[in-house]
């Protein structure tokens, strides 16, 4: 009788598990989750289950494959599941709030999970959130441009002024830098910065990209800064483009880089030796740096659309004379010249080609024609 009851329970568990709503992790969207929270009723992946395990007062997790689930727990999962639980804990997420995926770093995913279940930030409308005030002031540790040391700096974000400022001293009256909110991008870079809470802030200065690398020891604080920047950007865009939909505006907030990594490049004559550089593809801007943590790019290439004469080709033109140590080449064709690069492995080469192709296949928007014109004048 007991064996039959156990089989029945296992069968019931599998039925709930197979529901379409439970086919993706409730927190990061990874396919085929095989863990679940017996107290929240959500199906989650192994990685997110580790974060849940660190909040035992809120969530008790078990493996759907290896652990025993009793009838009451199975019934609880059946009554809840991802759709019902999301309807409660994700009912009022601000449009600008960044919802991480399984490709995002640990601090973003952990703070998203804690914001939902522990702090219950999205359960009721109009809740005052630490990143929704339109102003944020505090200390972030910033990497020195020349010496590479991280030092505490005061930062001030203001929706009213449409800017992010930082000050070299806490009591300084004048900021060292004022950054307009519409030229900022922010993306988490724990590996590159060497800190689990590392955040890269990039902005345009005289149409050139400038990098600032910061972190905060407190994961919640750095993620609050990130979402506060997105909040201020969203409200700025709402005023600037009043007829645009919320989803259109959301797509113009901070973005992750399409690809980063080392390639070799040669100069415009295509006879110079290839030099190893760190490349960052930020939508249509391909930037290259001597070092990944450089403040300024050594150069930038605009990557337009296929219909405007841009293309990416596998390999280098025959007869390329420059010396190169890596043998997996690719060529970016623009209306004005060809840019030659080499990659260390075929996988790198194919990944870069896929990233460039995804951009080249997108039609250009009006603002991008202005950026293209600037690049042409500069060159």
């Amino acid at each position: 009788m007991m064996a039959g009851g156990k089989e029945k329970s296992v069968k019931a568990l599998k039925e709930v598990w197979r529901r379409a709503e439970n086919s993706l992790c409730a927190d990061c969207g990874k396919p085929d989750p095989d863990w679940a929270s017996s107290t929240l009723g959500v199906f989650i992946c192994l990685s997110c289950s580790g974060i849940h395990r660190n909040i035992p007062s809120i969530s008790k997790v078990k493996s759907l494959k290896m652990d025993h689930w009793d009838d009451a727990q199975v019934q609880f999962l059946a009554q809840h599941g991802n759709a019902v639980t999301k309807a409660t804990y994700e009912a009022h997420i601000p449009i600008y709030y960044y919802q991480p995926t399984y490709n995002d770093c640990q601090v973003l995913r952990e703070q998203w999970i804690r914001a939902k279940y522990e702090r219950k930030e999205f359960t009721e409308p109009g809740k005052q959130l630490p990143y929704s005030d339109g102003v944020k002031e505090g200390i972030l540790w910033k990497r020195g441009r020349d010496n590479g040391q991280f030092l505490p700096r005061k930062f001030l974000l203001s929706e009213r002024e449409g800017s992010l400022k930082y000050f070299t001293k806490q009591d300084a009256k004048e900021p060292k830098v004022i950054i307009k909110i519409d030229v900022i991008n922010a993306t988490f870079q724990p590996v590159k910065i060497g800190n689990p809470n590392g955040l890269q802030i990039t902005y345009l200065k005289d149409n050139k990209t400038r990098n600032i690398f910061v972190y905060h020891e407190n994961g919640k604080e750095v993620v609050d800064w990130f979402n506060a920047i997105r909040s201020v950007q969203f409200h700025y865009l709402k005023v600037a483009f009043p007829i645009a939909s919320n989803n259109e505006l959301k797509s113009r907030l901070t973005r992750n880089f399409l690809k980063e990594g080392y390639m070799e490049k040669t100069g415009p004559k295509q006879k110079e030796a290839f030099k190893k550089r760190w490349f960052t593809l930020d939508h249509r801007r391909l930037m290259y740096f001597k070092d990944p943590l450089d403040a300024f790019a050594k150069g930038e290439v605009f990557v337009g659309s296929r219909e405007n004469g841009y293309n990416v080709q596998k390999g280098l033109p025959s007869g390329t004379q420059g010396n190169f140590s890596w043998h997996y080449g690719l060529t970016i064709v623009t209306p004005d010249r060809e840019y030659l690069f080499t990659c260390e492995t075929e996988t790198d080469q194919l990944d870069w080609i896929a990233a460039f192709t995804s951009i080249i296949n997108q039609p250009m928007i009006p603002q991008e024609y202005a950026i293209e014109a600037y690049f042409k004048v500069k060159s």
Side-chain angles (χ1 to χ4, degrees):
M1 180 69 188
M2 282 180 70
K6 189 178 177 184
E7 281 173 26
K8 195 174 168 187
S9 184
V10 169
K11 187 183 174 192
L13 178 63
K14 283 184 176 172
E15 280 176 12
V16 183
W17 189 6
R18 276 201 295 262
R19 287 181 194 164
E21 62 170 287
N22 300 325
S23 64
L24 302 176
C25 171
D27 296 327
C28 74
K30 192 169 188 178
D32 306 317
D34 52 9
W35 287 73
S37 169
S38 62
T39 50
L40 293 169
V42 286
F43 291 75
I44 52 178
C45 68
L46 173 64
S47 182
C48 288
S49 77
I51 297 170
H52 279 249
R53 197 174 280 113
N54 289 333
I55 323 172
S57 59
I58 306 290
S59 188
K60 300 276 194 294
V61 293
K62 296 173 74 170
S63 167
L64 292 160
K65 290 179 176 174
M66 297 176 289
D67 293 330
H68 169 68
W69 291 76
D70 62 38
D71 288 347
Q73 289 172 333
V74 172
Q75 198 174 355
F76 182 80
L77 281 183
Q79 289 165 347
H80 290 79
N82 289 2
V84 168
T85 310
K86 278 172 175 275
T88 300
Y89 290 99
E90 299 182 19
H92 303 282
I93 303 171
I95 188 80
Y96 57 78
Y97 187 94
Y98 185 82
Q99 297 178 45
T101 71
Y102 54 91
N103 291 319
D104 282 301
C105 63
Q106 176 81 4
V107 69
L108 266 175
R109 290 184 294 110
E110 178 174 350
Q111 291 308 315
W112 161 237
I113 288 168
R114 287 184 180 274
K116 283 201 290 183
Y117 307 121
E118 187 180 43
R119 300 193 291 269
K120 296 189 172 77
E121 290 181 7
F122 315 122
T123 54
E124 53 194 73
K127 191 169 181 179
Q128 195 59 35
L129 298 167
Y131 36 82
S132 63
D133 292 346
V135 64
K136 186 164 176 61
E137 185 176 348
I139 299 295
L140 292 169
W141 290 76
K142 178 189 167 294
R143 188 179 190 271
R145 192 177 86 186
D146 302 315
N147 60 15
Q149 274 187 305
F150 281 89
L151 295 167
R153 295 287 181 254
K154 184 174 89 170
F155 280 76
L156 176 61
L157 176 71
S158 170
E159 184 182 308
R160 189 171 57 80
E161 295 179 19
S163 67
L164 175 68
K165 304 174 185 176
Y166 77 84
F167 303 77
T168 48
K169 294 195 173 74
Q170 291 219 39
D171 56 356
K173 296 283 185 285
E174 293 300 315
K176 173 81 185 288
V177 172
I178 301 175
I179 310 166
K180 301 288 284 177
I181 199 66
D182 57 327
V183 298
I184 291 178
N185 188 26
T187 178
F188 278 90
Q189 295 278 13
V191 176
K192 187 156 77 171
I193 294 172
N195 185 289
N197 301 338
L199 183 67
Q200 179 174 348
I201 296 172
T202 64
Y203 63 94
L204 292 178
K205 184 181 181 184
D206 304 324
N207 220 358
K208 291 190 180 72
T209 305
R210 164 87 160 94
N211 293 324
I212 295 177
F213 301 98
V214 299
Y215 73 85
H216 196 285
E217 288 297 347
N218 184 299
K220 177 183 182 299
E221 180 66 9
V222 78
V223 173
D224 283 352
W225 269 104
F226 176 66
N227 280 304
I229 289 169
R230 289 174 62 88
S231 168
V232 169
Q233 280 186 331
F234 180 77
H235 290 106
Y236 170 87
L237 291 169
K238 199 92 173 130
V239 173
F241 304 97
I243 60 169
S245 71
N246 278 353
N247 280 332
E248 276 181 82
L249 300 181
K250 184 179 178 179
S251 71
R252 296 180 61 178
L253 303 180
T254 64
R255 64 208 168 266
N256 292 327
F257 298 139
L258 287 173
K259 182 156 175 61
E260 285 196 290
Y262 284 108
M263 290 193 288
E264 294 180 328
K265 71 171 286 294
T266 188
K269 293 178 183 165
Q270 300 178 1
K271 293 177 180 176
E272 306 93 325
F274 281 68
K275 291 179 180 172
K276 183 179 170 185
R277 295 287 182 252
W278 176 266
F279 285 83
T280 297
L281 181 59
D282 184 8
H283 195 54
R284 293 201 185 276
R285 284 176 183 265
L286 176 68
M287 297 163 273
Y288 54 94
F289 306 83
K290 199 167 183 181
D291 183 273
L293 294 172
D294 283 348
F296 294 100
K298 287 187 75 66
E300 302 191 36
V301 178
F302 181 82
V303 183
S305 65
R306 195 174 301 280
E307 61 199 21
N308 290 86
Y310 293 82
N311 199 3
V312 57
Q313 296 170 354
K314 190 175 180 181
L316 302 175
S318 59
T320 300
Q321 293 174 13
N323 293 329
F324 47 87
S325 52
W326 291 348
H327 297 280
Y328 298 93
L330 62 97
T331 304
I332 299 288
V333 179
T334 80
D336 303 311
R337 64 171 271 201
E338 293 181 345
Y339 293 86
L340 312 187
F341 308 104
T342 58
C343 302
E344 188 174 14
T345 66
E346 187 180 17
T347 302
D348 277 348
Q349 176 199 43
L350 296 175
D351 285 352
W352 276 110
I353 289 172
F356 286 126
T357 302
S358 72
I359 283 296
I360 288 167
N361 285 342
Q362 292 176 34
M364 281 161 61
I365 61 173
Q367 294 94 317
E368 290 169 348
Y369 283 98
I371 298 169
E372 181 189 42
Y374 166 80
F375 272 86
K376 283 186 174 175
V377 168
K378 192 179 70 166
S379 60

